[in-house]
């Protein structure tokens, strides 16, 4: 709990920001690697390995990393879409006792899944093409026992209006909509049951640039309107910076850095964060070639066969002998929490150093 | 959310530009499949043929001029007679459906009877003729047949006659019943087995999946003909034709379910991890509701298409079994049984019309296959 | 100015589907000079990929190049109109892979799964260059080394599925570069990659280009990538190039409202948290249902009612060389000049 407490104290902001809504402690999601007819376990894929963080009420926490880093699995574990193999997940409702999500029974889990919702990456696969929009959005209302019959239809129509679609669309099927509109439908489904926490799993990654901006704006408006808390899982750092109050950076199933967006982007403390920021293309030809760009050699660490010590050490240009043997723990450095032995001594480049 | 219902549209609402309503926007899965199938003329035509064949099976008693047992020994091996609608006399043409009777000759050397249609002797036939009594659809007693000779004792053999002087046309029509229904019932049984076992396999996974898959592999590795022969030989001779019929159906579906089970399993596996299934789970749906509401509708059209393609295989299997004499046996009439009776050199040489039931098989199998192919193409209207 | 390598004018690629025609590429003009990187940028469905495929005449049926010219200045000095060639003929085949090579978003679609990387590259080399098997193998090792593939001799024996995403992309680039093409068409080659890998691949393409002097036609939807790599840029919208300019002009002096809208709607690193993005309202129209007049007018903030919804803008060349299709930049076409008199 100490780690969690520290994160809370370090957050400078309004007091309600400090009320945790989701608390994750030592979360592990390991998948066994089996071999042979007897399904002998020969190893573990450590998709998520001992990560802890808190999502505070009213904030947007970004979870960022490259493919295979475990960010999506983390998001899914929070709703037990994948079963965690270790650790503790606590959901704290605004009025009521905290629920231990990992041990929650059927009814408790249902309550959590009503309060905490998910917007999926691909609006094509997350909407059943065989159901009309009204049924897709109204499903949660019906099965969570919030509304019945004609009342469902009214609320669905209302949701459609709120996400910027016409209520007349209620009887149309998903194939009648464009990608951006489908994502609006996905958002309407998530918000229909009046949740207070939404996990946006790469919610804008599959969209075109112009539509992406529309959806980002919609998400922000809805956040204020419905008093929501977001966990925004993504890989596009520019989008993350745009929408998140705090950012958590993951690498190979571990949290390597977490802190307020401004400070992480301006003064990253972990070499991986630095490399990630450095790799983002800048949409301005005039800054081309300015500043030294960090390029990572080699491949993302294989989570079924992690390197010893710090998982990032084979690609890190600051790595020493110590990094090969000793696994760094997440610890507070300045406003951030960083898992790097040399977080205090390294001077890493943030975004400010590239801005024109 | 409803209590704070100030309903103004957010600023990000897409600009409402001239909306064109399309019927596609409101079309559900089955409507889309139907439209897509409608563009495939071959499949549509084949579908009509299949429908007709099943109607023939249902109304066989009415459509066939005679019962399957009706025989006139003196017309053994009589060749087909063409049906004409008009007779010519001194007043000109008159509408009178008829066939021409035969004159018979006996070959003095071989003592074989040969039939020659006699253009002089007209056998008047009529529509809705009274003939043998039967129960229409098994309930309504009647003696009306679509077509029959005015005098039931007159010869009318549109497809010719077999060695006992039975009408091949009537027997082919009656055979439709058994042949087509054995496909349907056999596939129905396979489908039940396939969906239950394939569904369990795909949904539970793990050891259950492994076990069922190994059973399927084992069943598929057994050579079918010897297996059928073994099983068919085990059917007691004392069983009634109806019992034999069901036994044969069960034997056929015992093999048939495996491929359907595999398909169902594959669909389950693929769909289980679709985002929309996860979303449904988060919406609070139980697993059974998810299966009913999301999974089954997603693969049902594919299964229907596979079933359409499985039926002809069943029909052919029944034909094959009956043809080699271990399937259905007379007095049951099926296309396979009819062909078995044509199994001698004499029919090849002198009575080729005995193979007409074979044509019925070809037509029905082909049209089923074309329809099935069309359905497979149309089964997923959301591609592209 | 040097002679251009590739000159495309009035290119149309249409798809006939059930009685209706989708105009995927609808009158595109484009010039690629030797050694230059031209970025073709646009949102999904704008026709940029079909445009690229049209050049090599690998448009999937029922698509067809229906009009226009694709003039390629061949190494021999001869000018060929690729649009007039038989897509299965010998001449286009001698150009594909040899003078104009292409890389794709998904390397697994371009690399054969059952052949080793080495045999695919040596086959390509032997197809176009008259060299021995051994020589081809040496060249394959060389090109793999050049794309930064570690331990190239061993990788020759690897199958595509044994490589990671980034390495596969390198292998595909190696395959494309094996015959030292003069033009490389890159269709979203980094879209499926992580940003760190993308950065490395972009560096690689840039370095190889400098080293080999080839021209690159780079197709992408990502304006960040454009800014990193382009010399000149063509912005596509609904099958047309709406603006064509030097990269700096696109980012700092964009003329077409669509280009400006796109630039304003991309989130940039370095902006303050919570800063609003501008958006382009609405969405890309259905290609079956193209708006009248300028096809961008329903979404355009600078739309002139009564004109933009009626008049289809023609290509206007501005004094600084930018070409734009927008009535705002047309010098009073209806008053002064008959339609078509402008270049």
């Amino acid at each position: 709990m100490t780690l969690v407490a520290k994160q809370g104290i370090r957050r400078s902001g309004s007091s309600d920001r400090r009320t945790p809504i989701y608390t994750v402690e030592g979360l592990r999601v390991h998948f066994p690697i089996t071999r042979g007819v007897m399904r002998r376990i020969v190893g573990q894929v450590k998709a998520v390995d001992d990560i802890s963080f808190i999502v505070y009420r009213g904030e947007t926490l970004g979870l960022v990393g490259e493919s295979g880093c475990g960010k999506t699995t983390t998001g899914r574990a929070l709703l037990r879409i994948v079963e965690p193999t270790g650790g503790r997940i606590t959901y704290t409702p605004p009025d009521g006792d905290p629920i231990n999500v990992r041990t929650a029974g059927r009814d408790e889990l249902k309550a959590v899944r009503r309060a905490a919702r998910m917007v999926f990456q691909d609006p094509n696969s997350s909407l059943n093409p065989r159901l009309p929009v009204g049924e897709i959005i109204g499903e949660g209302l019906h099965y969570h026992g919030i509304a019945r019959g004609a009342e469902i239809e009214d609320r669905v129509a209302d949701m459609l209006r709120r996400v910027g679609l016409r209520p007349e669309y209620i009887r149309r099927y998903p194939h009648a909509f464009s990608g951006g509109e489908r994502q609006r439908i996905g958002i309407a489904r998530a918000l229909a049951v009046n949740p207070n926490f939404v996990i946006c799993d790469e919610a804008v990654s599959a969209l075109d640039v112009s539509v992406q901006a529309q959806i980002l704006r919609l998400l922000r408006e809805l956040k204020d309107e419905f008093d929501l808390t977001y966990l925004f899982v993504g890989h596009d750092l520019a989008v993350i910076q745009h929408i998140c109050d705090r950012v958590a950076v993951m690498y190979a199933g571990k949290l390597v850095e977490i802190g307020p967006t401004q400070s992480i982007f301006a003064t990253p403390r972990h070499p991986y964060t630095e490399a990630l920021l450095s790799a983002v293309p800048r949409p301005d030809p005039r800054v081309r070639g300015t500043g030294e760009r960090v390029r990572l050699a080699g491949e993302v660490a294989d989570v079924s066969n992690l390197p010893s010590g710090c998982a990032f050490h084979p690609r890190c240009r600051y790595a020493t002998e110590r990094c090969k043997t000793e696994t760094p723990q997440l610890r507070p450095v300045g406003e951030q929490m960083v898992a790097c032995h040399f977080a205090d001594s390294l001077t890493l480049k943030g975004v400010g150093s590239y801005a024109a | 959310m409803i209590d704070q219902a100030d309903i103004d549209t957010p600023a990000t609402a897409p600009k409402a530009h001239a909306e064109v309503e399309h019927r596609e926007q409101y079309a559900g899965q089955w409507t889309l499949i139907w439209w897509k199938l409608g563009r495939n003329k071959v499949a549509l035509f084949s579908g009509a043929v299949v429908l007709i064949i099943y109607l023939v099976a249902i109304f066989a008693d009415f459509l066939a001029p005679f019962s399957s047992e009706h025989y006139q020994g003196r017309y053994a091996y009589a060749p087909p007679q063409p049906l004409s609608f008009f007779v010519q006399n001194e007043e000109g043409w008159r509408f009178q459906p008829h066939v021409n009777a035969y004159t018979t000759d006996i070959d003095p050397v071989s003592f074989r009877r040969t039939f020659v249609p006699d253009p002089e002797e007209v056998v008047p036939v009529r529509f809705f003729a009274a003939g043998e009594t039967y129960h229409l659809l098994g309930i309504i007693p009647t003696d009306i047949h679509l077509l029959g000779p005015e005098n039931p004792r007159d010869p009318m053999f549109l497809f010719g006659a077999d060695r006992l002087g039975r009408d091949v046309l009537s027997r082919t029509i009656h055979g439709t019943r058994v042949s087509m229904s054995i496909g349907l019932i056999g596939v129905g049984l396979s489908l039940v087995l396939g969906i239950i076992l394939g569904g369990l396999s795909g949904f539970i996974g793990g050891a259950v999946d492994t076990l069922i898959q190994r059973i399927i592999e084992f069943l598929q590795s057994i050579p079918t003909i010897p297996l059928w022969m073994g099983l068919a030989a085990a059917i007691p001779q004392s069983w009634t034709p109806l019992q034999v019929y069901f036994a044969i159906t069960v034997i056929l579906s015992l093999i048939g379910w495996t491929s359907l089970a595999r398909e169902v399993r594959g669909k389950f596996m693929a769909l289980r991890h679709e985002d929309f299934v996860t979303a449904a789970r988060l919406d609070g749906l139980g697993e059974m509701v998810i299966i009913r509401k999301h999974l089954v509708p997603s693969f049902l059209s594919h299964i229907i298409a596979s079933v359409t393609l499985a039926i002809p295989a069943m029909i052919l299997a029944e034909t094959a079994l009956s043809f080699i004499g271990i399937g259905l046996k007379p007095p049951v009439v099926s296309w396979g049984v009819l062909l078995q009776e044509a199994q001698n050199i004499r029919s090849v040489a002198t009575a080729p019309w005995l193979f007409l039931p074979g044509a019925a098989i070809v037509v029905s199998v082909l049209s089923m296959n074309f329809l099935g192919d069309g359905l497979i193409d149309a089964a997923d209207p959301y591609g592209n | 100015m040097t002679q251009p390598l590739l000159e495309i004018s009035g290119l149309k690629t249409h798809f006939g589907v059930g009685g209706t025609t989708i105009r995927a590429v609808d009158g595109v003009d484009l010039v690629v000079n030797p050694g230059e990187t031209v970025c073709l940028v646009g949102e999904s469905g704008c026709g940029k990929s079909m445009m690229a495929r049209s050049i090599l005449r690998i448009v999937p049926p029922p698509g067809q190049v229906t009009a226009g010219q694709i003039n390629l200045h061949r190494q021999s000095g001869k000018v060929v109109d690729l649009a007039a060639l038989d897509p299965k003929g010998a001449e286009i085949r001698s150009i594909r892979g040899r003078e104009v090579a292409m890389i794709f978003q998904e390397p697994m679609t371009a690399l054969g799964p059952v052949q080793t990387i080495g045999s695919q590259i040596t086959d390509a080399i032997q197809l176009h260059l008259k060299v021995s098997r051994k020589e081809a193998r040496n060249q394959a090792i060389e090109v793999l080394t050049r794309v930064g593939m570690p331990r190239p001799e061993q990788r020759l024996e690897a199958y595509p599925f044994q490589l990671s995403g980034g390495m596969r992309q390198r292998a595909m680039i190696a395959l494309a570069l094996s015959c030292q093409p003069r033009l490389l068409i890159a269709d979203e080659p980094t879209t499926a990659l992580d940003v760190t890998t993308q950065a490395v691949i972009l560096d690689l393409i840039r370095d190889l280009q400098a080293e080999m002097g080839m021209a690159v036609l780079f197709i992408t939807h990502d304006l960040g990538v454009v800014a990193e790599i382009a010399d000149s840029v063509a912005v596509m919208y609904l099958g047309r190039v709406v603006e064509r300019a030097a990269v700096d002009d696109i980012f700092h002096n964009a003329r077409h409202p669509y280009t400006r809208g796109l630039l304003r709607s991309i989130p940039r690193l370095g902006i303050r948290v919570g800063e609003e993005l501008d958006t382009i309202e609405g969405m890309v129209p259905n290609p079956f249902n193209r708006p009248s007049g300028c096809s961008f007018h329903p979404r355009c903030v600078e739309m002139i009612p009564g004109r933009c919804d009626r008049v289809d803008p023609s290509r206007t060349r501005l004094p600084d060389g930018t070409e734009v299709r927008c009535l705002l930049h047309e010098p009073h076409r209806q008053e002064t000049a008959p339609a078509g008199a402008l270049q």
Side-chain angles (χ1 to χ4, degrees):
Chain A
M1 213 43 204
T2 55
L3 171 92
V4 156
K6 273 179 209 149
Q7 280 186 10
I9 292 158
R10 301 213 164 255
R11 175 66 214 160
S12 58
S14 61
S15 60
D16 68 338
R17 281 267 164 88
R18 291 210 200 101
T19 321
I21 183 163
Y22 241 95
T23 311
V24 178
E25 294 158 89
L27 176 68
R28 282 191 173 83
V29 185
H30 293 187
F31 301 104
I33 308 170
T34 56
R35 197 161 290 160
V37 193
M38 303 309 290
R39 298 180 176 270
R40 194 161 41 91
I41 295 171
V42 295
Q44 297 278 338
V45 176
K46 297 180 178 177
V48 177
D49 195 27
D50 190 13
I51 68 169
S52 303
F53 61 90
I54 299 177
V55 190
Y56 296 99
R57 189 165 299 283
E59 74 168 347
T60 301
L61 175 66
L63 198 54
V64 63
E66 295 181 284
S67 51
C69 72
K71 57 186 191 299
T72 293
T73 311
T74 304
R76 294 189 166 223
L78 295 194
L79 296 180
R80 295 236 327 251
I81 297 169
V82 293
E83 286 294 336
T85 49
R88 193 184 165 88
I89 303 167
T90 315
Y91 165 67
T92 315
D95 42 6
D97 297 326
I99 301 174
N100 182 338
V101 179
R102 243 198 97 196
T103 58
R106 223 181 108 227
D107 293 343
E108 262 184 326
L109 185 61
K110 209 171 162 182
V112 171
R113 285 176 172 179
R114 182 185 154 177
R117 303 283 289 169
M118 183 167 244
V119 176
F120 294 86
Q121 169 173 8
D122 182 358
N124 297 320
S125 68
S126 64
L127 307 179
N128 186 344
R130 288 162 183 86
L131 293 181
V133 166
E135 237 175 279
I136 292 174
I137 300 175
E139 205 169 49
L141 289 168
H142 181 264
Y143 288 95
H144 279 301
I146 295 166
R148 295 256 161 242
E151 203 189 333
I152 293 184
E153 196 151 307
D154 290 346
R155 293 188 69 152
V156 169
D158 183 45
M159 274 327 295
L160 280 174
R161 259 191 298 272
R162 280 159 193 265
V163 297
L165 294 173
R166 308 218 315 231
E168 300 91 279
Y169 293 171
I170 192 163
R171 261 170 263 291
R172 289 192 183 179
Y173 285 84
H175 62 85
F177 296 90
S178 70
E181 289 175 317
R182 284 182 209 171
Q183 199 57 304
R184 286 174 194 265
I185 295 167
I187 292 169
R189 168 176 57 197
L191 299 188
V193 297
N194 212 0
N196 45 48
F197 179 64
V198 179
I199 298 170
C200 302
D201 184 9
E202 301 261 16
V204 298
S205 307
L207 305 175
D208 272 320
V209 189
S210 67
V211 179
Q212 171 176 293
Q214 292 172 5
I215 298 297
L216 284 173
R217 191 199 282 186
L218 175 70
L219 284 172
R220 281 195 10 192
E221 285 170 355
L222 292 169
K223 179 172 184 274
D224 294 340
E225 194 182 341
F226 292 109
D227 203 12
L228 298 171
T229 304
Y230 286 149
L231 178 68
F232 200 94
V233 179
H235 69 273
D236 186 332
L237 287 147
V239 169
I240 293 280
Q241 187 192 22
H242 175 72
I243 196 161
C244 297
D245 304 307
R246 290 193 307 137
V247 183
V249 184
M250 286 186 74
Y251 183 77
K254 285 195 158 59
L255 213 55
V256 296
E257 186 162 10
I258 180 168
T261 307
Q262 287 293 34
S263 67
I264 291 233
F265 278 64
T267 53
R269 306 269 183 194
H270 196 285
Y272 177 64
T273 314
E274 180 195 38
L276 213 51
L277 286 169
S278 178
V280 177
R282 309 279 186 276
D284 183 356
R286 289 182 190 171
V287 302
R288 197 191 287 179
T290 61
E292 192 202 342
R293 307 293 289 269
V294 184
R295 291 292 181 258
L296 288 181
E299 303 290 331
V300 174
D302 177 2
V303 284
S304 62
N305 184 19
L306 285 174
S308 61
C310 172
F312 186 59
H313 86 258
R315 308 175 76 189
C316 182
R317 53 184 187 158
Y318 309 105
T320 64
E321 277 308 309
R322 186 181 170 198
C323 302
K324 290 180 190 165
T325 51
E326 197 182 322
T327 309
Q329 298 301 316
L330 206 61
R331 64 198 169 96
V333 180
E335 274 194 290
Q336 292 137 247
M337 305 270 302
V338 191
C340 173
H341 297 305
F342 304 104
D344 312 272
S345 51
L346 293 174
T347 316
L348 304 177
K349 286 194 190 62
V351 174
S353 35
Y354 296 106
Chain B
M1 188 169 45
I2 262 191
D3 32 312
Q4 40 172 304
D6 53 328
I7 307 160
D8 44 3
T9 318
T12 46
K15 202 189 278 178
H17 46 83
E19 273 287 343
V20 194
E21 295 277 314
H22 293 292
R23 57 180 191 146
E24 283 84 3
Q25 292 166 334
Y26 299 95
Q29 161 172 233
W30 299 108
T31 320
L32 289 173
I33 290 177
W34 175 242
W35 286 342
K36 200 166 173 191
L37 189 66
R39 286 198 289 272
N40 186 341
K41 299 295 176 228
V42 176
L44 222 51
F45 179 76
S46 305
V49 172
V50 170
L51 195 70
I52 290 170
I53 292 173
Y54 274 108
L55 285 175
V56 167
I58 291 169
F59 295 104
D61 296 317
F62 168 69
L63 295 170
F66 308 103
S67 78
S68 59
E69 297 311 312
H70 178 90
Y71 70 96
Q72 288 172 292
R74 61 202 176 97
Y75 292 111
Y77 293 121
Q81 300 155 300
L83 178 67
S84 323
F85 288 98
F86 296 95
V87 287
Q88 194 183 23
N89 54 18
E90 42 290 352
E91 293 153 43
W93 292 96
R94 187 167 58 86
F95 178 72
Q96 168 61 67
H98 67 277
V99 293
N100 295 103
Y102 302 102
T103 53
T104 43
D105 276 330
I106 297 193
D107 189 310
V109 183
S110 65
F111 295 106
R112 222 165 50 194
R113 212 192 291 242
T114 56
F115 295 89
V116 179
D118 176 4
E120 298 302 313
E121 201 190 334
V122 167
V123 175
V125 302
R126 56 185 294 187
F127 289 97
F128 307 106
E132 291 154 278
T133 55
Y134 61 95
H135 287 77
L136 186 66
L137 299 174
I139 19 179
I140 311 160
T142 175
D143 63 352
I144 306 294
H145 295 259
L146 176 65
L147 190 68
E150 277 180 6
N151 177 358
R153 265 190 279 277
D154 278 348
M156 186 187 87
F157 300 106
L158 299 181
F159 276 18
D162 68 3
R163 73 189 154 88
L164 297 178
R166 294 176 295 197
D167 179 27
V168 174
L169 173 66
S170 299
R171 287 174 65 80
T172 307
I173 291 176
H174 286 288
T176 310
R177 253 188 191 169
V178 169
S179 290
M180 295 304 280
S181 67
I182 213 162
L184 212 57
I185 295 172
V187 167
L189 276 176
S190 314
L191 192 62
V192 172
L193 281 171
I195 287 188
I196 291 175
L197 291 171
L200 283 176
S201 193
F203 200 75
I204 299 175
V208 176
D209 182 35
T210 314
L211 181 71
I212 293 176
Q213 290 315 304
R214 295 302 88 79
I215 292 173
I216 289 177
E217 277 154 21
F218 174 70
L219 283 177
Q220 287 188 337
S221 70
I222 303 173
T224 39
I225 295 279
L227 177 69
W228 285 339
M229 289 177 78
L231 288 171
I235 296 174
Q237 292 292 321
S238 57
W239 281 17
T240 63
L242 194 70
Q243 283 174 318
V244 174
Y245 170 84
F246 279 113
I248 295 287
T249 326
V250 169
I251 291 170
L252 292 180
S253 46
L254 219 57
I255 305 296
W257 70 273
T258 52
S259 55
L260 276 170
R262 285 226 154 145
E263 193 163 345
V264 171
R265 170 181 179 264
K267 294 283 175 204
F268 257 100
M269 294 273 207
L271 288 166
R272 231 172 52 165
H273 298 292
E274 282 282 325
D275 280 347
F276 70 78
V277 174
T278 305
R281 208 163 278 145
L282 295 179
D283 275 342
L285 279 72
E287 293 304 319
M288 282 303 136
V289 183
I290 289 178
I291 292 178
R292 181 170 53 77
K293 201 173 160 195
H294 289 279
L295 296 183
V296 172
S298 299
F299 63 68
L300 197 59
S301 57
H302 297 272
I303 297 300
I304 290 174
S306 314
V307 162
T308 316
L309 287 176
I311 292 175
M314 287 275 176
I315 295 175
L316 289 175
E318 181 275 324
T319 310
L321 280 185
S322 303
F323 184 76
I324 55 179
I326 55 170
L328 298 173
K329 292 187 181 80
V332 174
V333 186
S334 80
W335 292 338
V337 172
L338 294 180
L339 283 182
Q340 199 227 339
E341 292 180 4
Q343 240 186 57
N344 56 59
I345 191 72
R346 183 163 177 202
S347 41
V348 179
T350 63
W353 52 88
L354 290 182
F355 290 102
L356 280 170
I361 295 173
V362 170
V363 169
S364 57
V365 168
L366 268 185
S367 46
M368 286 261 190
N369 277 336
F370 283 135
L371 177 65
D373 284 340
L375 282 173
I376 285 206
D377 289 341
D380 186 9
Y382 302 103
N384 312 316
Chain C
M1 204 161 150
T2 51
Q3 203 183 33
L5 175 64
L6 183 73
E7 266 179 298
I8 298 172
S9 54
L11 179 69
K12 292 188 180 185
T13 302
H14 291 180
F15 284 73
V17 184
T20 49
T21 304
I22 297 179
R23 294 182 280 176
V25 180
D26 194 28
V28 163
D29 306 305
L30 195 70
V31 175
V32 182
N33 290 312
E36 182 190 35
T37 302
V38 176
C39 271
L40 201 55
V41 60
E43 296 181 279
S44 54
C46 73
K48 53 190 192 296
S49 281
M50 278 314 135
M51 160 82 197
R53 283 162 191 269
S54 303
I55 297 172
L56 282 178
R57 305 297 308 279
I58 48 171
V59 180
Q64 250 185 324
V65 174
T66 51
Q69 290 184 309
I70 307 170
N71 285 325
L72 177 74
H73 293 255
R74 294 198 66 170
Q75 213 145 21
S76 54
K78 207 175 100 186
V79 180
V80 222
D81 180 6
L82 303 183
L85 294 182
D86 171 10
K88 294 189 183 76
E91 181 151 26
I92 189 85
R93 279 190 281 132
S94 73
I95 292 167
R96 279 183 207 145
R98 174 74 188 91
E99 288 188 57
V100 182
M102 187 155 175
I103 55 178
F104 300 88
Q105 177 175 340
E106 184 39 70
M108 284 308 263
T109 59
L111 296 171
V114 296
Q115 253 187 311
T116 61
I117 302 290
S119 76
Q120 294 187 48
I121 297 178
T122 46
D123 282 356
I125 293 172
Q126 286 195 301
L127 181 69
H128 291 295
L129 310 174
K130 289 190 172 48
V131 292
S132 68
R133 190 82 194 158
K134 194 162 181 298
E135 174 61 19
R137 195 185 138 86
N138 288 338
Q139 286 189 17
I141 293 172
E142 195 191 311
V143 73
L144 281 176
T145 316
R146 207 185 263 182
V147 297
M149 183 85 79
R151 290 173 284 121
E153 275 118 80
Q154 288 164 40
R155 293 300 164 98
L156 279 182
E157 308 307 322
Y159 289 91
F161 70 88
Q162 295 170 318
L163 304 178
S164 69
M167 283 304 148
R168 250 179 241 159
Q169 207 73 25
R170 283 174 200 264
M172 183 171 62
I173 294 173
L175 180 62
L177 298 185
S178 56
C179 294
Q180 309 194 344
R182 297 164 66 227
L183 174 63
L184 177 69
I185 301 175
D187 187 4
E188 305 250 15
T190 60
T191 304
L193 302 175
D194 278 318
V195 326
T196 54
T197 319
Q198 163 174 290
V200 175
I201 296 291
L202 287 180
D203 286 350
L204 175 69
I205 292 177
R206 211 164 24 205
D207 294 347
L208 289 169
Q209 181 184 20
E211 202 179 303
M212 301 169 66
M214 66 181 172
V216 177
L217 180 62
F218 198 101
I219 290 137
T220 181
H221 67 280
D222 187 337
L223 284 162
V225 171
V226 174
E228 296 274 346
I229 199 164
D231 295 319
S232 71
V233 182
V235 182
M236 278 187 84
Y237 187 77
L238 267 184
R240 293 203 168 160
V241 172
V242 294
E243 180 162 6
R244 185 147 71 88
V247 66
D248 196 68
D249 284 328
I250 287 286
F251 283 87
H252 294 283
N253 189 16
R255 312 296 172 83
H256 199 284
Y258 176 62
T259 316
R260 290 203 284 252
L262 272 186
L263 284 166
R264 280 196 304 265
S265 61
I266 42 172
R268 292 158 188 260
L269 279 187
I271 56 163
R272 280 200 330 280
V273 175
E275 206 167 284
E276 274 300 343
L277 293 176
D278 275 328
T279 61
I280 304 178
E281 300 304 336
M283 57 229 156
V284 179
N286 188 328
F288 282 112
N289 203 346
R290 187 185 287 264
S292 61
C294 168
S295 45
F296 184 61
H297 86 261
R299 307 175 72 190
C300 184
V301 285
E302 297 171 66
M303 198 265 274
I304 311 164
R307 261 177 67 67
C308 292
D309 49 353
R310 297 217 186 111
V311 185
D312 194 2
S314 59
R315 187 158 60 106
T316 310
R317 196 179 172 89
L318 303 177
D320 62 356
T322 297
E323 284 177 357
V324 62
R325 260 181 200 273
C326 177
L327 292 175
L328 294 170
H329 300 281
E330 259 183 56
H332 312 292
R333 170 165 89 156
Q334 271 151 347
E335 286 84 354
T336 56
L342 286 159
Q343 263 295 53

